[in-house]
Amino acid sequence: MTSQKFRIGIVGCGNISDMHAQAIINSERGELFSAHSRTESRLEAFCDTYDISGSTSYDEFLENPELEAVSICTPSGTHLDYGILAAEAGKHVIVEKPIEVTVERGRALINSCKENGVQLAVIYQNRFIDDVQKMKQMIDAGEIGETILASASVRWFRSQEYYSESFWRGTFELDGGGVVINQSIHTIDLLQWFIGDVESVSGLTGTFTHNGIEAEDTAVASLRFKNGAIGVFEGSTSIVPAQKRRIEVNGATGTALLEGDRFQKKPEADQPEEPEDSGEAAGAASPLGGMEVLNHQRQFEQIFEAFAENRVPVVSGDESLKSLAIVEALYTSAEEKRVVFIDEIL
């Protein structure tokens, strides 16, 4: 491990860019170096806030020889184009989730980074939440026995304006879909990370409360895991009032439960429950509601360590395809009215 600080440029100055910027600034190994946005007013405000240089020309942004890595915070369906150009310029690539809107496009970015000898990491900061780590370790240690059943729900709310005032949200080209790929993919990622690879998906989708969007605002799915466990998923941005994200994993000898960011272990039927945390679930009622920079910071620290030691980051491009494949399988299942096997997607 070295003391090297990586000079990072932010690509895109929308909502999530501030979270990336603060995480980089707070990290030990990262230096917020520059920014790019096609919107001059946003770029100027962002650069003024963080006292960095910026460019509305992506080519000019990438030409700076001191820039070592980019953190892409643009709409999901643009990640491939921005990422390929960065890789070809010899810059490491960090991408806000999801890696792209389809597995095919995500794999194209992975291949470009490999061909150009640069590292690729995808932001799934929920894996770095303390209680999420505890739940993962407990399940892996066999403390609830063999996994039998699992459920995950993202019952959140987004206003009509959230979609109608955005040129990309809820579109297939730039968002990849609706609630499943945007709001729910973090939870889908945790579900498969806790239990293991998914074998097949059967899904239903609908658009109930948001006018004029191409994609779904509500979805359900049943899943079969390769280890034999079965599970269900629910996601919506139409729920009033918004509720905390919830993941429950039932094993042969106990249960693990994550509500919001809080973990509970219930190994015995008569064990008293701990009092619930009354805090807002991250993102439940607004895009960044309740989100803390610490978990992004922890992932960025891990990414920088991996870059410095030429190791594959924990959430690599290939790792990020696992949750995206589940999302794509759900969409395909809903459209074609059949069970879809993950091997068809990957």
Side-chain angles (χ1 to χ4, degrees), residues 320-342:
S320 77
L321 291 185
K322 294 179 180 179
S323 54
L324 183 57
I326 297 168
V327 169
E328 193 168 327
L330 193 161
Y331 285 150
T332 302
S333 174
E335 182 179 357
E336 299 182 3
K337 298 179 174 59
R338 66 179 179 91
V339 175
V340 174
F341 288 83
I342 296 297

Side-chain angles (χ1 to χ4, degrees), residues 12-165:
C13 298
N15 283 345
I16 200 64
S17 61
D18 282 309
M19 194 66 66
H20 283 228
Q22 291 165 29
I24 292 165
I25 290 168
N26 292 342
S27 69
E28 292 183 5
R29 297 184 177 276
E31 176 188 341
L32 185 60
F33 181 72
S34 61
H36 161 73
S37 174
R38 294 183 304 174
T39 306
E40 189 168 355
S41 59
R42 279 191 173 186
L43 179 66
E44 287 182 359
F46 189 84
C47 291
D48 286 347
T49 298
Y50 296 106
D51 192 24
I52 56 175
S53 63
S55 176
T56 55
S57 165
Y58 193 51
D59 289 339
E60 182 180 282
F61 167 80
L62 291 175
E63 284 172 0
N64 192 320
E66 295 186 72
L67 178 68
E68 296 174 280
V70 301
S71 186
I72 300 175
C73 301
T74 57
S76 304
T78 66
H79 291 174
L80 174 61
D81 296 337
Y82 282 113
I84 283 179
L85 290 172
E88 290 175 347
K91 316 300 183 184
H92 298 302
V93 179
I94 303 166
V95 184
E96 174 62 24
K97 64 81 189 167
I99 184 172
E100 248 287 349
V101 296
T102 65
V103 168
E104 181 180 12
R105 288 179 64 83
R107 198 173 294 286
L109 178 54
I110 292 168
N111 291 339
S112 177
C113 289
K114 288 179 179 177
E115 290 166 3
N116 288 284
V118 299
Q119 289 277 29
L120 171 64
V122 185
I123 298 298
Y124 280 93
Q125 78 281 354
N126 280 241
R127 291 195 185 194
F128 294 81
I129 297 169
D130 284 335
D131 275 23
V132 168
Q133 293 272 334
K134 291 177 185 176
M135 184 162 166
K136 169 68 171 170
Q137 291 163 9
M138 192 198 74
I139 293 171
D140 287 352
E143 292 185 33
I144 63 169
E146 183 180 355
T147 303
I148 299 168
L149 181 66
S151 63
S153 65
V154 179
R155 298 181 177 186
W156 289 359
F157 176 80
R158 293 291 182 272
S159 67
Q160 177 65 42
E161 291 72 26
Y162 171 82
Y163 293 103
S164 61
E165 293 179 359

Side-chain angles (χ1 to χ4, degrees), residues 173-221:
E173 180 181 1
L174 295 178
D175 209 357
V179 63
V180 179
I181 195 168
N182 190 313
Q183 287 76 27
S184 301
I185 197 167
H186 280 299
T187 299
I188 291 170
D189 177 67
L190 291 184
L191 185 64
Q192 65 84 28
W193 190 51
F194 287 152
I195 298 173
D197 292 343
V198 170
E199 179 179 277
S200 63
V201 179
S202 179
L204 297 170
T205 61
T207 308
F208 295 100
T209 65
H210 298 96
N211 299 321
I213 68 170
E214 294 178 353
E216 83 293 344
D217 61 19
T218 303
V220 297

Side-chain angles (χ1 to χ4, degrees), residues 147-150 195 223-231:
T147 303
I148 299 168
L149 181 66
I195 298 173
L223 305 94
R224 183 176 294 278
F225 296 83
K226 288 188 176 179
N227 64 7
I230 56 177

